[in-house]
Amino acid sequence: MKSSELTIKQLTHLVGGGLTPRMVRHYHQLGLLPQPVRSRSNYRLYTKKDVLRLQRIVALKQQGFQLNHIRQILEVEPEADTTVNLMGQLQQQYRAVMQQISQLRQTASALEGLLGRDRHCQIIQAEVLAQLKLLDVETQAGLGGLENLWSGLDAEIHTHSEAFTESLQRLLPDLSHRSEIEQHLISQLVLASGDVSLVSFIKLSRDAIAASREALSSSCQIVVDTQTVAAALDQTRLLHLGCYIETLIDNPHITTATEAELAFWQHREWREKLLQVSKGCVLVVGYAPSVLLEACEAMSNQKIQPALVIAMPIGFSHAPAAKRQLMQQGIPFITVEGTLGGGALAATALNALVESLIDKPDCHCYLKDVEPL
């Protein structure tokens, strides 16, 4: 055995990332990793080349790629003509994955229809569950019987208003390891999106809650990317806290992510305006990924120093990249990984933080003296 050769145990320890000998053997079976040479004692021996390939496999797997996707990616050379074919194959696989997600979403919706019921619905819910066990849907009449069961369950919703908090308790994963404010924030984001799976994509830096409370309590500036986001903010509480709202793209006709993205690139004054935000502000990006990219560059160069960045821009390439850059800045942040996001979610995040600081005033009459945004 050469000093440069590794046993399978040494290999997994060196690569890390939760890799086990059993997984390595599985990768051999799938063709992801070539079979290694054997020692005289029949032990597998690995080289630095194997380490590099396994590190790539682990990294791609952590990014969410499935093993069959990883094998195809690693087999194609960067400049090879087969790259086009690979992209076509990945597109087909993406569509297959989306179909699986759609099917799982239908299953989740059915479960949510049962689990997301408050105590007022539980008596009928129990009856429906009992009948589902006996349901015969082999005939069209049987399918009609299934519809009748759902109709009977749905009829109960007319007798009372929905108890959102109670419904969420049966659907949300265990959040007991999070602070009360974080739990409230996550719950509000789930309610705003109507998607419980959003929980796994919500990312907060360790100091995000503390930084937000300190900034908001100090009457900080709130900087948003569009007027659509500004309009969704809880202006009543923000005014009581002494926080004032500044809109970067202050054109009321710009209401979509596409418009905001183009406008920010085309107008230098709005990019310059971003560089003038006050130190310790809260930056809220709900639409334009380029606003977040520009902000990340400015933070890297220490041109701006926000106390907190709430980043939920929409997009399929720039937005995920911008969010990844944000999480590397060392600035407190709240974001939703990937393509998910939007102005409503961004505003909801800030509103949840503000709500934890101050009860909503009953009287709104003083707002008439405030200049419109």
Side-chain angles (χ1 to χ4, degrees), residues 31-32 53 60 66-77 82-83 85-91 93:
L32 268 169
R53 187 173 180 90
L60 289 169
Q66 296 182 8
L67 293 179
N68 58 330
H69 303 161
I70 294 174
R71 182 176 61 251
Q72 293 179 19
I73 290 171
L74 294 182
E75 286 175 354
V76 174
E77 295 296 329
T82 53
T83 299
N85 293 330
L86 172 63
M87 294 302 293
Q89 292 173 7
L90 292 179
Q91 189 176 41
Q93 292 170 355

mmCIF file with all atom_site columns, all heavy atoms in Angstrom, residues 31-32 53 60 66-77 82-83 85-91 93:
data_model
loop_
_atom_site.group_PDB
_atom_site.id
_atom_site.type_symbol
_atom_site.label_atom_id
_atom_site.label_alt_id
_atom_site.label_comp_id
_atom_site.label_asym_id
_atom_site.label_entity_id
_atom_site.label_seq_id
_atom_site.pdbx_PDB_ins_code
_atom_site.Cartn_x
_atom_site.Cartn_y
_atom_site.Cartn_z
_atom_site.occupancy
_atom_site.B_iso_or_equiv
_atom_site.pdbx_formal_charge
_atom_site.auth_seq_id
_atom_site.auth_comp_id
_atom_site.auth_asym_id
_atom_site.auth_atom_id
_atom_site.pdbx_PDB_model_num
ATOM 1   N N   . GLY A 1 31 ? -22.216 3.600  -10.657 1.00 0.00 ? 31 GLY A N   1
ATOM 2   C CA  . GLY A 1 31 ? -21.308 4.086  -11.684 1.00 0.00 ? 31 GLY A CA  1
ATOM 3   C C   . GLY A 1 31 ? -20.882 5.525  -11.470 1.00 0.00 ? 31 GLY A C   1
ATOM 4   O O   . GLY A 1 31 ? -20.257 6.135  -12.353 1.00 0.00 ? 31 GLY A O   1
ATOM 5   N N   . LEU A 1 32 ? -21.214 6.093  -10.312 1.00 0.00 ? 32 LEU A N   1
ATOM 6   C CA  . LEU A 1 32 ? -20.789 7.456  -10.006 1.00 0.00 ? 32 LEU A CA  1
ATOM 7   C C   . LEU A 1 32 ? -19.298 7.527  -9.705  1.00 0.00 ? 32 LEU A C   1
ATOM 8   O O   . LEU A 1 32 ? -18.651 8.544  -9.940  1.00 0.00 ? 32 LEU A O   1
ATOM 9   C CB  . LEU A 1 32 ? -21.570 7.986  -8.791  1.00 0.00 ? 32 LEU A CB  1
ATOM 10  C CG  . LEU A 1 32 ? -22.860 8.752  -9.063  1.00 0.00 ? 32 LEU A CG  1
ATOM 11  C CD1 . LEU A 1 32 ? -23.616 8.966  -7.763  1.00 0.00 ? 32 LEU A CD1 1
ATOM 12  C CD2 . LEU A 1 32 ? -22.573 10.085 -9.716  1.00 0.00 ? 32 LEU A CD2 1
ATOM 13  N N   . ARG A 1 53 ? -13.342 13.611 -6.787  1.00 0.00 ? 53 ARG A N   1
ATOM 14  C CA  . ARG A 1 53 ? -14.635 13.263 -7.390  1.00 0.00 ? 53 ARG A CA  1
ATOM 15  C C   . ARG A 1 53 ? -15.717 13.120 -6.314  1.00 0.00 ? 53 ARG A C   1
ATOM 16  O O   . ARG A 1 53 ? -16.839 13.592 -6.483  1.00 0.00 ? 53 ARG A O   1
ATOM 17  C CB  . ARG A 1 53 ? -14.518 11.966 -8.192  1.00 0.00 ? 53 ARG A CB  1
ATOM 18  C CG  . ARG A 1 53 ? -15.802 11.652 -8.988  1.00 0.00 ? 53 ARG A CG  1
ATOM 19  C CD  . ARG A 1 53 ? -15.609 10.473 -9.910  1.00 0.00 ? 53 ARG A CD  1
ATOM 20  N NE  . ARG A 1 53 ? -16.819 10.176 -10.673 1.00 0.00 ? 53 ARG A NE  1
ATOM 21  C CZ  . ARG A 1 53 ? -17.116 10.696 -11.855 1.00 0.00 ? 53 ARG A CZ  1
ATOM 22  N NH1 . ARG A 1 53 ? -16.283 11.570 -12.422 1.00 0.00 ? 53 ARG A NH1 1
ATOM 23  N NH2 . ARG A 1 53 ? -18.235 10.360 -12.479 1.00 0.00 ? 53 ARG A NH2 1
ATOM 24  N N   . LEU A 1 60 ? -22.535 18.566 -4.861  1.00 0.00 ? 60 LEU A N   1
ATOM 25  C CA  . LEU A 1 60 ? -23.711 18.633 -5.735  1.00 0.00 ? 60 LEU A CA  1
ATOM 26  C C   . LEU A 1 60 ? -24.942 18.057 -5.046  1.00 0.00 ? 60 LEU A C   1
ATOM 27  O O   . LEU A 1 60 ? -26.053 18.575 -5.192  1.00 0.00 ? 60 LEU A O   1
ATOM 28  C CB  . LEU A 1 60 ? -23.435 17.883 -7.042  1.00 0.00 ? 60 LEU A CB  1
ATOM 29  C CG  . LEU A 1 60 ? -22.453 18.556 -7.993  1.00 0.00 ? 60 LEU A CG  1
ATOM 30  C CD1 . LEU A 1 60 ? -22.046 17.603 -9.109  1.00 0.00 ? 60 LEU A CD1 1
ATOM 31  C CD2 . LEU A 1 60 ? -23.039 19.837 -8.576  1.00 0.00 ? 60 LEU A CD2 1
ATOM 32  N N   . GLN A 1 66 ? -30.035 15.204 -7.656  1.00 0.00 ? 66 GLN A N   1
ATOM 33  C CA  . GLN A 1 66 ? -30.180 13.777 -7.437  1.00 0.00 ? 66 GLN A CA  1
ATOM 34  C C   . GLN A 1 66 ? -28.995 13.043 -8.067  1.00 0.00 ? 66 GLN A C   1
ATOM 35  O O   . GLN A 1 66 ? -28.314 13.575 -8.940  1.00 0.00 ? 66 GLN A O   1
ATOM 36  C CB  . GLN A 1 66 ? -31.502 13.283 -8.028  1.00 0.00 ? 66 GLN A CB  1
ATOM 37  C CG  . GLN A 1 66 ? -32.720 13.887 -7.336  1.00 0.00 ? 66 GLN A CG  1
ATOM 38  C CD  . GLN A 1 66 ? -34.029 13.363 -7.897  1.00 0.00 ? 66 GLN A CD  1
ATOM 39  O OE1 . GLN A 1 66 ? -34.039 12.443 -8.708  1.00 0.00 ? 66 GLN A OE1 1
ATOM 40  N NE2 . GLN A 1 66 ? -35.132 13.958 -7.473  1.00 0.00 ? 66 GLN A NE2 1
ATOM 41  N N   . LEU A 1 67 ? -28.779 11.801 -7.622  1.00 0.00 ? 67 LEU A N   1
ATOM 42  C CA  . LEU A 1 67 ? -27.576 11.068 -8.026  1.00 0.00 ? 67 LEU A CA  1
ATOM 43  C C   . LEU A 1 67 ? -27.504 10.841 -9.532  1.00 0.00 ? 67 LEU A C   1
ATOM 44  O O   . LEU A 1 67 ? -26.420 10.908 -10.121 1.00 0.00 ? 67 LEU A O   1
ATOM 45  C CB  . LEU A 1 67 ? -27.508 9.729  -7.283  1.00 0.00 ? 67 LEU A CB  1
ATOM 46  C CG  . LEU A 1 67 ? -27.297 9.836  -5.766  1.00 0.00 ? 67 LEU A CG  1
ATOM 47  C CD1 . LEU A 1 67 ? -27.278 8.455  -5.142  1.00 0.00 ? 67 LEU A CD1 1
ATOM 48  C CD2 . LEU A 1 67 ? -26.010 10.587 -5.438  1.00 0.00 ? 67 LEU A CD2 1
ATOM 49  N N   . ASN A 1 68 ? -28.649 10.573 -10.182 1.00 0.00 ? 68 ASN A N   1
ATOM 50  C CA  . ASN A 1 68 ? -28.604 10.371 -11.635 1.00 0.00 ? 68 ASN A CA  1
ATOM 51  C C   . ASN A 1 68 ? -28.254 11.658 -12.363 1.00 0.00 ? 68 ASN A C   1
ATOM 52  O O   . ASN A 1 68 ? -27.608 11.652 -13.411 1.00 0.00 ? 68 ASN A O   1
ATOM 53  C CB  . ASN A 1 68 ? -29.940 9.801  -12.137 1.00 0.00 ? 68 ASN A CB  1
ATOM 54  C CG  . ASN A 1 68 ? -31.112 10.691 -11.807 1.00 0.00 ? 68 ASN A CG  1
ATOM 55  O OD1 . ASN A 1 68 ? -31.091 11.396 -10.804 1.00 0.00 ? 68 ASN A OD1 1
ATOM 56  N ND2 . ASN A 1 68 ? -32.139 10.654 -12.632 1.00 0.00 ? 68 ASN A ND2 1
ATOM 57  N N   . HIS A 1 69 ? -28.664 12.819 -11.798 1.00 0.00 ? 69 HIS A N   1
ATOM 58  C CA  . HIS A 1 69 ? -28.280 14.109 -12.381 1.00 0.00 ? 69 HIS A CA  1
ATOM 59  C C   . HIS A 1 69 ? -26.776 14.331 -12.202 1.00 0.00 ? 69 HIS A C   1
ATOM 60  O O   . HIS A 1 69 ? -26.090 14.812 -13.113 1.00 0.00 ? 69 HIS A O   1
ATOM 61  C CB  . HIS A 1 69 ? -29.032 15.253 -11.711 1.00 0.00 ? 69 HIS A CB  1
ATOM 62  C CG  . HIS A 1 69 ? -30.529 15.117 -11.776 1.00 0.00 ? 69 HIS A CG  1
ATOM 63  N ND1 . HIS A 1 69 ? -31.369 15.813 -10.932 1.00 0.00 ? 69 HIS A ND1 1
ATOM 64  C CD2 . HIS A 1 69 ? -31.317 14.381 -12.582 1.00 0.00 ? 69 HIS A CD2 1
ATOM 65  C CE1 . HIS A 1 69 ? -32.610 15.493 -11.218 1.00 0.00 ? 69 HIS A CE1 1
ATOM 66  N NE2 . HIS A 1 69 ? -32.610 14.627 -12.207 1.00 0.00 ? 69 HIS A NE2 1
ATOM 67  N N   . ILE A 1 70 ? -26.270 14.009 -11.014 1.00 0.00 ? 70 ILE A N   1
ATOM 68  C CA  . ILE A 1 70 ? -24.853 14.226 -10.714 1.00 0.00 ? 70 ILE A CA  1
ATOM 69  C C   . ILE A 1 70 ? -23.978 13.402 -11.663 1.00 0.00 ? 70 ILE A C   1
ATOM 70  O O   . ILE A 1 70 ? -22.959 13.898 -12.170 1.00 0.00 ? 70 ILE A O   1
ATOM 71  C CB  . ILE A 1 70 ? -24.558 13.854 -9.249  1.00 0.00 ? 70 ILE A CB  1
ATOM 72  C CG1 . ILE A 1 70 ? -25.286 14.836 -8.309  1.00 0.00 ? 70 ILE A CG1 1
ATOM 73  C CG2 . ILE A 1 70 ? -23.053 13.882 -8.980  1.00 0.00 ? 70 ILE A CG2 1
ATOM 74  C CD1 . ILE A 1 70 ? -25.189 14.468 -6.850  1.00 0.00 ? 70 ILE A CD1 1
ATOM 75  N N   . ARG A 1 71 ? -24.365 12.161 -11.914 1.00 0.00 ? 71 ARG A N   1
ATOM 76  C CA  . ARG A 1 71 ? -23.563 11.312 -12.807 1.00 0.00 ? 71 ARG A CA  1
ATOM 77  C C   . ARG A 1 71 ? -23.445 11.931 -14.190 1.00 0.00 ? 71 ARG A C   1
ATOM 78  O O   . ARG A 1 71 ? -22.360 11.980 -14.779 1.00 0.00 ? 71 ARG A O   1
ATOM 79  C CB  . ARG A 1 71 ? -24.197 9.919  -12.907 1.00 0.00 ? 71 ARG A CB  1
ATOM 80  C CG  . ARG A 1 71 ? -23.383 8.961  -13.795 1.00 0.00 ? 71 ARG A CG  1
ATOM 81  C CD  . ARG A 1 71 ? -23.939 7.553  -13.835 1.00 0.00 ? 71 ARG A CD  1
ATOM 82  N NE  . ARG A 1 71 ? -25.289 7.525  -14.377 1.00 0.00 ? 71 ARG A NE  1
ATOM 83  C CZ  . ARG A 1 71 ? -26.373 7.277  -13.653 1.00 0.00 ? 71 ARG A CZ  1
ATOM 84  N NH1 . ARG A 1 71 ? -26.257 7.044  -12.353 1.00 0.00 ? 71 ARG A NH1 1
ATOM 85  N NH2 . ARG A 1 71 ? -27.566 7.268  -14.208 1.00 0.00 ? 71 ARG A NH2 1
ATOM 86  N N   . GLN A 1 72 ? -24.553 12.459 -14.714 1.00 0.00 ? 72 GLN A N   1
ATOM 87  C CA  . GLN A 1 72 ? -24.526 13.063 -16.048 1.00 0.00 ? 72 GLN A CA  1
ATOM 88  C C   . GLN A 1 72 ? -23.701 14.339 -16.068 1.00 0.00 ? 72 GLN A C   1
ATOM 89  O O   . GLN A 1 72 ? -22.967 14.607 -17.025 1.00 0.00 ? 72 GLN A O   1
ATOM 90  C CB  . GLN A 1 72 ? -25.954 13.348 -16.501 1.00 0.00 ? 72 GLN A CB  1
ATOM 91  C CG  . GLN A 1 72 ? -26.776 12.076 -16.732 1.00 0.00 ? 72 GLN A CG  1
ATOM 92  C CD  . GLN A 1 72 ? -28.195 12.373 -17.166 1.00 0.00 ? 72 GLN A CD  1
ATOM 93  O OE1 . GLN A 1 72 ? -28.477 13.468 -17.620 1.00 0.00 ? 72 GLN A OE1 1
ATOM 94  N NE2 . GLN A 1 72 ? -29.070 11.405 -17.021 1.00 0.00 ? 72 GLN A NE2 1
ATOM 95  N N   . ILE A 1 73 ? -23.812 15.126 -15.003 1.00 0.00 ? 73 ILE A N   1
ATOM 96  C CA  . ILE A 1 73 ? -23.037 16.377 -14.935 1.00 0.00 ? 73 ILE A CA  1
ATOM 97  C C   . ILE A 1 73 ? -21.542 16.094 -14.920 1.00 0.00 ? 73 ILE A C   1
ATOM 98  O O   . ILE A 1 73 ? -20.755 16.746 -15.617 1.00 0.00 ? 73 ILE A O   1
ATOM 99  C CB  . ILE A 1 73 ? -23.455 17.188 -13.695 1.00 0.00 ? 73 ILE A CB  1
ATOM 100 C CG1 . ILE A 1 73 ? -24.872 17.733 -13.877 1.00 0.00 ? 73 ILE A CG1 1
ATOM 101 C CG2 . ILE A 1 73 ? -22.480 18.344 -13.446 1.00 0.00 ? 73 ILE A CG2 1
ATOM 102 C CD1 . ILE A 1 73 ? -25.455 18.361 -12.625 1.00 0.00 ? 73 ILE A CD1 1
ATOM 103 N N   . LEU A 1 74 ? -21.128 15.110 -14.137 1.00 0.00 ? 74 LEU A N   1
ATOM 104 C CA  . LEU A 1 74 ? -19.705 14.801 -14.008 1.00 0.00 ? 74 LEU A CA  1
ATOM 105 C C   . LEU A 1 74 ? -19.130 14.138 -15.257 1.00 0.00 ? 74 LEU A C   1
ATOM 106 O O   . LEU A 1 74 ? -17.923 14.181 -15.488 1.00 0.00 ? 74 LEU A O   1
ATOM 107 C CB  . LEU A 1 74 ? -19.483 13.891 -12.794 1.00 0.00 ? 74 LEU A CB  1
ATOM 108 C CG  . LEU A 1 74 ? -19.767 14.505 -11.424 1.00 0.00 ? 74 LEU A CG  1
ATOM 109 C CD1 . LEU A 1 74 ? -19.466 13.506 -10.323 1.00 0.00 ? 74 LEU A CD1 1
ATOM 110 C CD2 . LEU A 1 74 ? -18.958 15.782 -11.212 1.00 0.00 ? 74 LEU A CD2 1
ATOM 111 N N   . GLU A 1 75 ? -19.988 13.530 -16.068 1.00 0.00 ? 75 GLU A N   1
ATOM 112 C CA  . GLU A 1 75 ? -19.504 12.847 -17.271 1.00 0.00 ? 75 GLU A CA  1
ATOM 113 C C   . GLU A 1 75 ? -19.271 13.791 -18.434 1.00 0.00 ? 75 GLU A C   1
ATOM 114 O O   . GLU A 1 75 ? -18.615 13.427 -19.406 1.00 0.00 ? 75 GLU A O   1
ATOM 115 C CB  . GLU A 1 75 ? -20.512 11.762 -17.681 1.00 0.00 ? 75 GLU A CB  1
ATOM 116 C CG  . GLU A 1 75 ? -20.497 10.535 -16.774 1.00 0.00 ? 75 GLU A CG  1
ATOM 117 C CD  . GLU A 1 75 ? -21.585 9.549  -17.133 1.00 0.00 ? 75 GLU A CD  1
ATOM 118 O OE1 . GLU A 1 75 ? -22.416 9.879  -18.019 1.00 0.00 ? 75 GLU A OE1 1
ATOM 119 O OE2 . GLU A 1 75 ? -21.623 8.457  -16.537 1.00 0.00 ? 75 GLU A OE2 1
ATOM 120 N N   . VAL A 1 76 ? -19.800 15.012 -18.378 1.00 0.00 ? 76 VAL A N   1
ATOM 121 C CA  . VAL A 1 76 ? -19.692 15.952 -19.487 1.00 0.00 ? 76 VAL A CA  1
ATOM 122 C C   . VAL A 1 76 ? -18.547 16.920 -19.249 1.00 0.00 ? 76 VAL A C   1
ATOM 123 O O   . VAL A 1 76 ? -18.455 17.560 -18.199 1.00 0.00 ? 76 VAL A O   1
ATOM 124 C CB  . VAL A 1 76 ? -21.018 16.735 -19.667 1.00 0.00 ? 76 VAL A CB  1
ATOM 125 C CG1 . VAL A 1 76 ? -20.852 17.816 -20.729 1.00 0.00 ? 76 VAL A CG1 1
ATOM 126 C CG2 . VAL A 1 76 ? -22.127 15.781 -20.056 1.00 0.00 ? 76 VAL A CG2 1
ATOM 127 N N   . GLU A 1 77 ? -17.676 17.031 -20.223 1.00 0.00 ? 77 GLU A N   1
ATOM 128 C CA  . GLU A 1 77 ? -16.587 18.000 -20.153 1.00 0.00 ? 77 GLU A CA  1
ATOM 129 C C   . GLU A 1 77 ? -17.145 19.397 -20.426 1.00 0.00 ? 77 GLU A C   1
ATOM 130 O O   . GLU A 1 77 ? -18.079 19.558 -21.212 1.00 0.00 ? 77 GLU A O   1
ATOM 131 C CB  . GLU A 1 77 ? -15.508 17.671 -21.182 1.00 0.00 ? 77 GLU A CB  1
ATOM 132 C CG  . GLU A 1 77 ? -14.805 16.343 -20.932 1.00 0.00 ? 77 GLU A CG  1
ATOM 133 C CD  . GLU A 1 77 ? -14.048 16.348 -19.629 1.00 0.00 ? 77 GLU A CD  1
ATOM 134 O OE1 . GLU A 1 77 ? -13.571 17.427 -19.215 1.00 0.00 ? 77 GLU A OE1 1
ATOM 135 O OE2 . GLU A 1 77 ? -13.945 15.269 -19.007 1.00 0.00 ? 77 GLU A OE2 1
ATOM 136 N N   . THR A 1 82 ? -21.505 17.597 -26.161 1.00 0.00 ? 82 THR A N   1
ATOM 137 C CA  . THR A 1 82 ? -22.629 16.932 -25.503 1.00 0.00 ? 82 THR A CA  1
ATOM 138 C C   . THR A 1 82 ? -23.288 17.807 -24.440 1.00 0.00 ? 82 THR A C   1
ATOM 139 O O   . THR A 1 82 ? -24.287 17.413 -23.853 1.00 0.00 ? 82 THR A O   1
ATOM 140 C CB  . THR A 1 82 ? -22.155 15.626 -24.844 1.00 0.00 ? 82 THR A CB  1
ATOM 141 O OG1 . THR A 1 82 ? -21.034 15.908 -23.998 1.00 0.00 ? 82 THR A OG1 1
ATOM 142 C CG2 . THR A 1 82 ? -21.760 14.605 -25.887 1.00 0.00 ? 82 THR A CG2 1
ATOM 143 N N   . THR A 1 83 ? -22.721 18.986 -24.172 1.00 0.00 ? 83 THR A N   1
ATOM 144 C CA  . THR A 1 83 ? -23.309 19.879 -23.170 1.00 0.00 ? 83 THR A CA  1
ATOM 145 C C   . THR A 1 83 ? -24.744 20.228 -23.522 1.00 0.00 ? 83 THR A C   1
ATOM 146 O O   . THR A 1 83 ? -25.625 20.267 -22.665 1.00 0.00 ? 83 THR A O   1
ATOM 147 C CB  . THR A 1 83 ? -22.474 21.168 -23.029 1.00 0.00 ? 83 THR A CB  1
ATOM 148 O OG1 . THR A 1 83 ? -21.159 20.829 -22.614 1.00 0.00 ? 83 THR A OG1 1
ATOM 149 C CG2 . THR A 1 83 ? -23.095 22.112 -22.017 1.00 0.00 ? 83 THR A CG2 1
ATOM 150 N N   . ASN A 1 85 ? -26.841 18.431 -25.270 1.00 0.00 ? 85 ASN A N   1
ATOM 151 C CA  . ASN A 1 85 ? -27.661 17.255 -24.999 1.00 0.00 ? 85 ASN A CA  1
ATOM 152 C C   . ASN A 1 85 ? -27.905 17.089 -23.503 1.00 0.00 ? 85 ASN A C   1
ATOM 153 O O   . ASN A 1 85 ? -28.999 16.711 -23.074 1.00 0.00 ? 85 ASN A O   1
ATOM 154 C CB  . ASN A 1 85 ? -26.996 15.998 -25.552 1.00 0.00 ? 85 ASN A CB  1
ATOM 155 C CG  . ASN A 1 85 ? -26.934 16.010 -27.077 1.00 0.00 ? 85 ASN A CG  1
ATOM 156 O OD1 . ASN A 1 85 ? -27.795 16.597 -27.722 1.00 0.00 ? 85 ASN A OD1 1
ATOM 157 N ND2 . ASN A 1 85 ? -25.918 15.384 -27.634 1.00 0.00 ? 85 ASN A ND2 1
ATOM 158 N N   . LEU A 1 86 ? -26.875 17.370 -22.707 1.00 0.00 ? 86 LEU A N   1
ATOM 159 C CA  . LEU A 1 86 ? -27.030 17.271 -21.260 1.00 0.00 ? 86 LEU A CA  1
ATOM 160 C C   . LEU A 1 86 ? -28.097 18.239 -20.762 1.00 0.00 ? 86 LEU A C   1
ATOM 161 O O   . LEU A 1 86 ? -28.938 17.889 -19.924 1.00 0.00 ? 86 LEU A O   1
ATOM 162 C CB  . LEU A 1 86 ? -25.701 17.545 -20.557 1.00 0.00 ? 86 LEU A CB  1
ATOM 163 C CG  . LEU A 1 86 ? -25.773 17.650 -19.021 1.00 0.00 ? 86 LEU A CG  1
ATOM 164 C CD1 . LEU A 1 86 ? -26.232 16.324 -18.419 1.00 0.00 ? 86 LEU A CD1 1
ATOM 165 C CD2 . LEU A 1 86 ? -24.434 18.067 -18.443 1.00 0.00 ? 86 LEU A CD2 1
ATOM 166 N N   . MET A 1 87 ? -28.075 19.472 -21.273 1.00 0.00 ? 87 MET A N   1
ATOM 167 C CA  . MET A 1 87 ? -29.063 20.462 -20.849 1.00 0.00 ? 87 MET A CA  1
ATOM 168 C C   . MET A 1 87 ? -30.469 19.992 -21.199 1.00 0.00 ? 87 MET A C   1
ATOM 169 O O   . MET A 1 87 ? -31.418 20.182 -20.414 1.00 0.00 ? 87 MET A O   1
ATOM 170 C CB  . MET A 1 87 ? -28.774 21.819 -21.509 1.00 0.00 ? 87 MET A CB  1
ATOM 171 C CG  . MET A 1 87 ? -27.474 22.443 -21.061 1.00 0.00 ? 87 MET A CG  1
ATOM 172 S SD  . MET A 1 87 ? -27.386 22.696 -19.272 1.00 0.00 ? 87 MET A SD  1
ATOM 173 C CE  . MET A 1 87 ? -28.659 23.955 -19.082 1.00 0.00 ? 87 MET A CE  1
ATOM 174 N N   . GLY A 1 88 ? -30.618 19.368 -22.351 1.00 0.00 ? 88 GLY A N   1
ATOM 175 C CA  . GLY A 1 88 ? -31.924 18.836 -22.733 1.00 0.00 ? 88 GLY A CA  1
ATOM 176 C C   . GLY A 1 88 ? -32.368 17.728 -21.795 1.00 0.00 ? 88 GLY A C   1
ATOM 177 O O   . GLY A 1 88 ? -33.541 17.659 -21.405 1.00 0.00 ? 88 GLY A O   1
ATOM 178 N N   . GLN A 1 89 ? -31.427 16.862 -21.406 1.00 0.00 ? 89 GLN A N   1
ATOM 179 C CA  . GLN A 1 89 ? -31.747 15.776 -20.488 1.00 0.00 ? 89 GLN A CA  1
ATOM 180 C C   . GLN A 1 89 ? -32.113 16.315 -19.113 1.00 0.00 ? 89 GLN A C   1
ATOM 181 O O   . GLN A 1 89 ? -33.064 15.843 -18.482 1.00 0.00 ? 89 GLN A O   1
ATOM 182 C CB  . GLN A 1 89 ? -30.560 14.822 -20.384 1.00 0.00 ? 89 GLN A CB  1
ATOM 183 C CG  . GLN A 1 89 ? -30.275 14.042 -21.659 1.00 0.00 ? 89 GLN A CG  1
ATOM 184 C CD  . GLN A 1 89 ? -28.986 13.246 -21.569 1.00 0.00 ? 89 GLN A CD  1
ATOM 185 O OE1 . GLN A 1 89 ? -28.363 13.169 -20.508 1.00 0.00 ? 89 GLN A OE1 1
ATOM 186 N NE2 . GLN A 1 89 ? -28.575 12.660 -22.685 1.00 0.00 ? 89 GLN A NE2 1
ATOM 187 N N   . LEU A 1 90 ? -31.355 17.311 -18.667 1.00 0.00 ? 90 LEU A N   1
ATOM 188 C CA  . LEU A 1 90 ? -31.659 17.906 -17.364 1.00 0.00 ? 90 LEU A CA  1
ATOM 189 C C   . LEU A 1 90 ? -33.014 18.605 -17.385 1.00 0.00 ? 90 LEU A C   1
ATOM 190 O O   . LEU A 1 90 ? -33.738 18.595 -16.383 1.00 0.00 ? 90 LEU A O   1
ATOM 191 C CB  . LEU A 1 90 ? -30.558 18.893 -16.961 1.00 0.00 ? 90 LEU A CB  1
ATOM 192 C CG  . LEU A 1 90 ? -29.193 18.287 -16.646 1.00 0.00 ? 90 LEU A CG  1
ATOM 193 C CD1 . LEU A 1 90 ? -28.193 19.384 -16.297 1.00 0.00 ? 90 LEU A CD1 1
ATOM 194 C CD2 . LEU A 1 90 ? -29.296 17.280 -15.503 1.00 0.00 ? 90 LEU A CD2 1
ATOM 195 N N   . GLN A 1 91 ? -33.355 19.206 -18.519 1.00 0.00 ? 91 GLN A N   1
ATOM 196 C CA  . GLN A 1 91 ? -34.661 19.846 -18.635 1.00 0.00 ? 91 GLN A CA  1
ATOM 197 C C   . GLN A 1 91 ? -35.783 18.817 -18.534 1.00 0.00 ? 91 GLN A C   1
ATOM 198 O O   . GLN A 1 91 ? -36.796 19.051 -17.867 1.00 0.00 ? 91 GLN A O   1
ATOM 199 C CB  . GLN A 1 91 ? -34.763 20.607 -19.956 1.00 0.00 ? 91 GLN A CB  1
ATOM 200 C CG  . GLN A 1 91 ? -36.010 21.486 -20.065 1.00 0.00 ? 91 GLN A CG  1
ATOM 201 C CD  . GLN A 1 91 ? -36.017 22.302 -21.343 1.00 0.00 ? 91 GLN A CD  1
ATOM 202 O OE1 . GLN A 1 91 ? -35.651 21.809 -22.400 1.00 0.00 ? 91 GLN A OE1 1
ATOM 203 N NE2 . GLN A 1 91 ? -36.426 23.546 -21.235 1.00 0.00 ? 91 GLN A NE2 1
ATOM 204 N N   . GLN A 1 93 ? -35.569 15.952 -16.993 1.00 0.00 ? 93 GLN A N   1
ATOM 205 C CA  . GLN A 1 93 ? -35.585 15.491 -15.608 1.00 0.00 ? 93 GLN A CA  1
ATOM 206 C C   . GLN A 1 93 ? -36.226 16.520 -14.691 1.00 0.00 ? 93 GLN A C   1
ATOM 207 O O   . GLN A 1 93 ? -36.920 16.171 -13.732 1.00 0.00 ? 93 GLN A O   1
ATOM 208 C CB  . GLN A 1 93 ? -34.165 15.154 -15.159 1.00 0.00 ? 93 GLN A CB  1
ATOM 209 C CG  . GLN A 1 93 ? -33.594 13.929 -15.866 1.00 0.00 ? 93 GLN A CG  1
ATOM 210 C CD  . GLN A 1 93 ? -32.125 13.746 -15.604 1.00 0.00 ? 93 GLN A CD  1
ATOM 211 O OE1 . GLN A 1 93 ? -31.482 14.574 -14.962 1.00 0.00 ? 93 GLN A OE1 1
ATOM 212 N NE2 . GLN A 1 93 ? -31.565 12.654 -16.122 1.00 0.00 ? 93 GLN A NE2 1
#
